[in-house]
Amino acid sequence: MAKAGIFSLLIPLLLSALVLNCQCQERKLHVVYMGGRPQEDVSVAAKHHSMLHRVLGSASAAKDSLVHSYGRSFNGFAAKLTREEAARISDKVGAPQESDVIIGLLDTGVWPEHPSFNDSGFGPPPAKWKGTCMATNFTCNNKIIGARYYNSDNAYYDGDIPSPRDSEGHGTHTASTASGVEVEASYFGLAKGIARGGVPKSRIAVYKVCWAFGCSSADILKAFDDAIADGVDIISVSLGSDWPDDYFDDPIAIGSFHAMRNGILTSNSAGNSGPFPVTVSNYAPWSLTVAASTIDRKFVARMQLGNGQIFTGITINTFDLNGTSYPLIWGGDAANYTIGSSPDIAKYCITGAMNADIVAGKIVFCEALWDGSGILLANGVGTIMADVLVENPDVAFSWPLPATLISPEDGKIVLEYIKNTENPIATIFYSDAWKDAMAPIVVSFSSRGPSPITPDILKPDITAPGVDILAGWSPLSPSSIYYGDERSTLFNIISGTSMSCPHASGAAAYVKALHPNWSPAAIKSALMTTAYVMDPRKHNDLEFAYGSGQINPVAARDPGLVFNASETDYINFLCKQGYNTSTLRLVTGDNSTCASISLGRAWDLNYPSFSLYVEDGQPITGTFTRTVTNVGAANSTYKASLYMPSLVSVTVEPSVLTFSAIGETQTFTVNVTGPTISQQPITSGAITWTDGTHVVRTPLVVYNYIPGAPYDLDSGESMAPGSTPTFQHSSVYQKFESIGRRKAHP
């Protein structure tokens, strides 16, 4: 019998995979049998290559080792391995790699006893973990494997706990969204079902940087410093600034730059300053910027007048009046004159402006969106609100009493009923969950692009669910929009790019689990190029609202091609943007130099999207260079297709890319031309590469005018790059990127 045909089993049949090996000490042929072909649409060749990469330590060694990849009828591969390497493969095959992924969250801490963080079935932390648990009023477990807190100002206000423990609710919500285990959940009985995070088997490392007063720049930088050294795989940052900063004046940009240098992708909130343009935050090209979109469920609360008319509002109402009607009054008729209030003030139902003797036991119609405290503290039963500034609400809030928010037009009808009825009455019904057939749509509050610093980089990168998200909550935190709400809950429904960010963080962790050796740029590219295409008819600002599209974690597992980028690529980008060597080294801390790099556009940064900003009165012209890496089938050919409005001409050269190995790279150029333009808003299309199995889509936008922009992109005087980074130790730089709750900060 031929020697190559003599095999022996290395692991028991009880395991899901079998490794057969050649009986010799040197590196010989081994066959790794992994059972039936996976049902998921994942490139098995890429998975085999990734597994060998992990064991052998380099992509080139993995490429040299792999002989055959079996994936058409069953799953497995043949590779040249030593006995020791074969044994390590045996340990890896079929192992739950998700449990090796650690998500670091910079936020308000977590509530460690929350059921979303139960560690039943978890083994000890991964060997790579180097972090610690600051066990001050806090206990870690095998799910929450690390916890730290930072308060450089040593300032604590009512409710703050000097511990990684969460008293705000925000951090528990984001952590459970990214990584929570499966649990039964509801918000006071509403939205009852099973909740889980993006990667429930992953581990959590907590870095509490935010308090009642906000989040300090110094603390954010220290948390990044620790998270990188501790060994996290993904960093999730649901924080943002209200104003644009230069890259190296921004602690999140600096921290995420160093995370990138260490192979860690940072996922960031895009901000809640929409729908105004040029408001996007966290726009550094080395991090993932996430907008917020709706889900296919919306919460409504109906109200009924005494005359039988029923109106529906976008509201989360968990109070059940059992259909009982109560006297209905207009807020303006309940003015507290003793404190100087008047109907013109009281109609808004502002706290303290109401006469409790009049309000008690009644439902009050208010002409403003408020937190309900004015009615609650005056012993009212409930509130019906209509606000002329909120015509078509696309996000629901919860209230401390029965409430609904109706349209201004419906509000006029309600007010007319009150004024013309002798004894007006009304009731408010418990909320219903309706199917939203229009979803996903980027929500109005989600910050819009373009980037205020680098218009040639399309931001945001992607959108993810961020509206009416049910997730974990701290029982110490108020459960509604009113900060004085004393009801306690372990789950809450809230909205914000704070909520969309951990969805993307979980998706990034999911890709990282499958491809642990991929760079941050490769993971980011996979998420962007496989995103669901958003409907442009629903978004006037197009890609400035949603970037590459709606996140699709399943497709991101097997993107086919990725746009990779290294630290050197980003340094070249910064040099072209006007940074000098001395400023660059203040952040890089090494011998990086801009000496041989001229100022220029960002068109050759290997980014998975294309953005061409044209100065007013100039012709459309730009040439982009991109390099893609094959992570799909070894032998594959990709063909380019284009979509672009007739105003713009686009050519791709070459338009066919042929690969013969995993890890092989190919370069192409994109030439964009067009007429002289003035006052031209965003025009967009896409370049799509496909091999018949994979679809790699990259958006392309051209513009030179942003309606409503707060400043001229051609000048950008306050955003000039190259200044020395300075931020005060005590500066409160960031805020939470969830919306709705009013809090009077001390």
Side-chain angles (χ1 to χ4, degrees):
M1 183 181 292
K3 193 172 184 180
I6 302 175
F7 299 100
S8 61
L9 298 181
L10 295 182
I11 57 177
L13 290 172
L14 293 176
L15 294 180
S16 62
L18 306 175
V19 175
L20 304 105
N21 105 27
C22 178
Q23 296 179 335
C24 42
Q25 296 297 323
E26 64 269 28
R27 182 173 277 116
K28 292 292 184 179
L29 186 66
H30 290 69
V31 176
V32 181
Y33 173 64
M34 302 170 67
R37 191 185 189 284
Q39 296 300 311
E40 311 94 352
D41 184 19
V42 178
S43 170
V44 291
K47 189 171 183 179
H48 301 157
H49 184 272
S50 180
M51 187 180 300
L52 286 167
H53 189 167
R54 291 197 300 272
V55 170
L56 302 181
S58 71
S60 59
K63 179 181 177 182
D64 293 340
S65 172
L66 185 62
V67 177
H68 295 300
S69 185
Y70 314 123
R72 301 184 67 189
S73 305
F74 52 87
N75 188 10
F77 60 91
K80 294 178 181 179
L81 303 167
T82 66
R83 244 184 226 281
E84 180 184 357
E85 290 165 348
R88 291 167 63 193
I89 287 284
S90 298
D91 293 334
K92 291 287 184 184
V93 173
Q97 295 298 329
E98 288 181 6
S99 65
D100 288 339
V101 176
I102 306 168
I103 303 175
L105 294 110
L106 278 62
D107 215 294
T108 66
V110 300
W111 189 262
E113 296 84 9
H114 197 282
S116 293
F117 310 129
N118 187 299
D119 69 346
S120 297
F122 282 78
K128 64 184 177 183
W129 176 243
K130 301 180 180 65
T132 189
C133 184
M134 299 176 71
T136 305
N137 191 16
F138 195 96
T139 302
C140 292
N141 58 20
N142 286 329
K143 175 66 174 177
I144 306 172
I145 60 174
R148 301 176 185 266
Y149 70 99
Y150 312 83
N151 191 325
S152 53
D153 292 324
N154 199 31
Y156 300 96
Y157 296 102
D158 289 345
D160 279 340
I161 302 173
S163 153
R165 184 174 293 276
D166 179 18
S167 60
E168 292 286 334
H170 190 273
T172 301
H173 200 280
T174 58
S176 59
T177 299
S179 179
V181 301
E182 285 194 0
V183 290
E184 292 185 0
S186 74
Y187 177 65
F188 296 110
L190 186 64
K192 186 177 295 184
I194 301 297
R196 52 155 280 189
V199 187
K201 293 181 181 179
S202 63
R203 317 299 181 112
I204 296 171
V206 178
Y207 301 88
K208 182 176 178 179
V209 297
C210 296
W211 306 82
F213 61 84
C215 325
S216 165
S217 297
D219 295 341
I220 291 169
L221 276 175
K222 180 56 179 170
F224 267 106
D225 185 32
D226 285 338
I228 294 166
D230 287 347
V232 305
D233 296 293
I234 301 292
I235 295 178
S236 186
V237 185
S238 287
L239 314 174
S241 174
D242 283 327
W243 60 89
D245 271 316
D246 180 73
Y247 294 125
F248 288 168
D249 286 337
D250 180 344
I252 293 179
I254 295 171
S256 59
F257 180 87
H258 287 279
M260 172 274 299
R261 296 179 81 185
N262 287 272
I264 304 165
L265 176 63
T266 301
S267 173
N268 293 311
S269 298
N272 296 336
S273 298
F276 305 106
V278 205
T279 53
V280 64
S281 60
N282 298 320
Y283 35 74
W286 46 83
S287 63
L288 181 68
T289 310
V290 188
S293 46
T294 58
I295 60 176
D296 62 356
R297 176 181 66 187
K298 62 181 179 181
F299 298 104
V300 300
R302 295 174 299 123
M303 55 141 295
Q304 184 173 358
L305 299 175
N307 62 10
Q309 287 185 290
I310 295 177
F311 302 101
T312 300
I314 303 297
T315 305
I316 299 169
N317 176 42
T318 58
F319 298 91
D320 194 350
L321 296 179
N322 298 309
T324 302
S325 292
Y326 292 85
L328 174 65
I329 65 170
W330 173 55
D333 288 334
N336 186 353
Y337 291 101
T338 60
I339 65 165
S341 182
S342 68
D344 286 339
I345 298 174
K347 69 179 181 180
Y348 299 124
C349 302
I350 299 171
T351 307
M354 316 292 292
N355 186 323
D357 293 334
I358 300 175
V359 171
K362 298 179 179 66
I363 294 174
V364 183
F365 173 69
C366 306
E367 296 187 48
L369 176 65
W370 201 249
D371 63 7
S373 59
I375 310 302
L376 182 70
L377 298 177
N379 300 315
V381 170
T383 178
I384 299 167
M385 294 166 285
D387 193 321
V388 293
L389 299 178
V390 188
E391 292 190 10
N392 298 296
D394 51 5
V395 57
F397 297 116
S398 56
W399 313 90
L401 76 172
T404 189
L405 173 65
I406 60 177
S407 71
E409 289 302 312
D410 290 343
K412 292 178 182 177
I413 298 173
V414 171
L415 184 56
E416 192 69 20
Y417 165 77
I418 294 172
K419 291 182 176 180
N420 293 290
T421 304
E422 186 174 351
N423 295 300
I425 59 173
T427 190
I428 302 170
F429 297 100
Y430 189 88
S431 276
D432 297 311
W434 285 4
K435 177 79 171 180
D436 186 357
M438 294 292 288
I441 297 176
V442 174
V443 68
S444 58
F445 64 71
S446 185
S447 292
R448 265 57 172 182
S451 166
I453 301 295
T454 309
D456 290 333
I457 300 296
L458 178 60
K459 289 288 181 172
D461 292 309
I462 205 163
T463 188
V467 178
D468 300 342
I469 304 301
L470 174 70
W473 197 247
S474 168
L476 297 184
S477 184
S479 57
S480 72
I481 191 174
Y482 173 46
Y483 204 79
D485 192 339
E486 296 182 351
R487 294 176 300 156
S488 179
T489 180
L490 285 176
F491 296 92
N492 204 349
I493 300 171
I494 59 176
S495 302
T497 53
S498 274
M499 287 59 256
S500 61
C501 172
H503 279 85
S505 304
Y510 182 49
V511 176
K512 179 73 172 180
L514 288 169
H515 306 287
N517 298 302
W518 280 12
S519 70
I523 295 172
K524 176 178 174 178
S525 172
L527 294 171
M528 291 173 63
T529 61
T530 61
Y532 291 111
V533 179
M534 296 289 279
D535 189 342
R537 296 169 299 179
K538 302 175 184 176
H539 303 85
N540 292 331
D541 30 24
L542 304 176
E543 282 80 3
F544 291 154
Y546 48 71
S548 294
Q550 174 87 350
I551 199 165
N552 182 358
V554 174
R557 300 176 303 179
D558 182 23
L561 303 175
V562 294
F563 294 75
N564 216 340
S566 66
E567 178 188 354
T568 299
D569 296 313
Y570 295 118
I571 287 175
N572 290 341
F573 157 80
L574 290 168
C575 292
K576 286 191 173 184
Q577 291 296 292
Y579 292 82
N580 57 48
T581 297
S582 58
T583 302
L584 190 68
R585 289 179 180 177
L586 287 173
V587 173
T588 63
D590 56 20
N591 294 322
S592 299
T593 179
C594 293
S596 61
I597 302 173
S598 302
L599 293 176
R601 304 291 290 266
W603 297 340
D604 61 352
L605 179 63
N606 205 37
Y607 213 72
S609 61
F610 302 87
S611 177
L612 175 56
Y613 173 68
V614 183
E615 292 187 5
D616 199 50
Q618 297 297 313
I620 298 171
T621 180
T623 299
F624 301 83
T625 303
R626 294 291 189 270
T627 299
V628 288
T629 303
N630 180 27
V631 295
N635 296 295
S636 55
T637 298
Y638 286 81
K639 297 180 180 179
S641 62
L642 302 172
Y643 165 74
M644 203 70 197
S646 58
L647 174 71
V648 181
S649 175
V650 178
T651 60
V652 178
E653 182 63 35
S655 60
V656 177
L657 302 176
T658 300
F659 300 89
S660 59
I662 295 173
E664 183 180 352
T665 61
Q666 295 282 358
T667 298
F668 64 94
T669 58
V670 176
N671 292 294
V672 184
T673 58
T676 298
I677 58 175
S678 179
Q679 302 290 295
Q680 176 64 47
I682 180 173
T683 299
S684 71
I687 301 169
T688 302
W689 296 91
T690 182
D691 64 349
T693 300
H694 305 91
V695 177
V696 183
R697 183 180 182 276
T698 52
L700 190 160
V701 303
V702 177
Y703 69 101
N704 84 326
Y705 170 70
I706 306 298
Y711 58 87
D712 184 358
L713 289 173
D714 287 339
S715 60
E717 295 178 2
S718 63
M719 269 63 77
S723 57
T724 302
T726 56
F727 29 85
Q728 297 178 359
H729 173 77
S730 61
S731 63
V732 177
Y733 168 86
Q734 305 289 344
K735 61 181 177 62
F736 316 150
E737 290 299 350
S738 59
I739 66 170
R741 196 169 71 196
R742 298 180 183 273
K743 178 176 180 180
H745 295 306

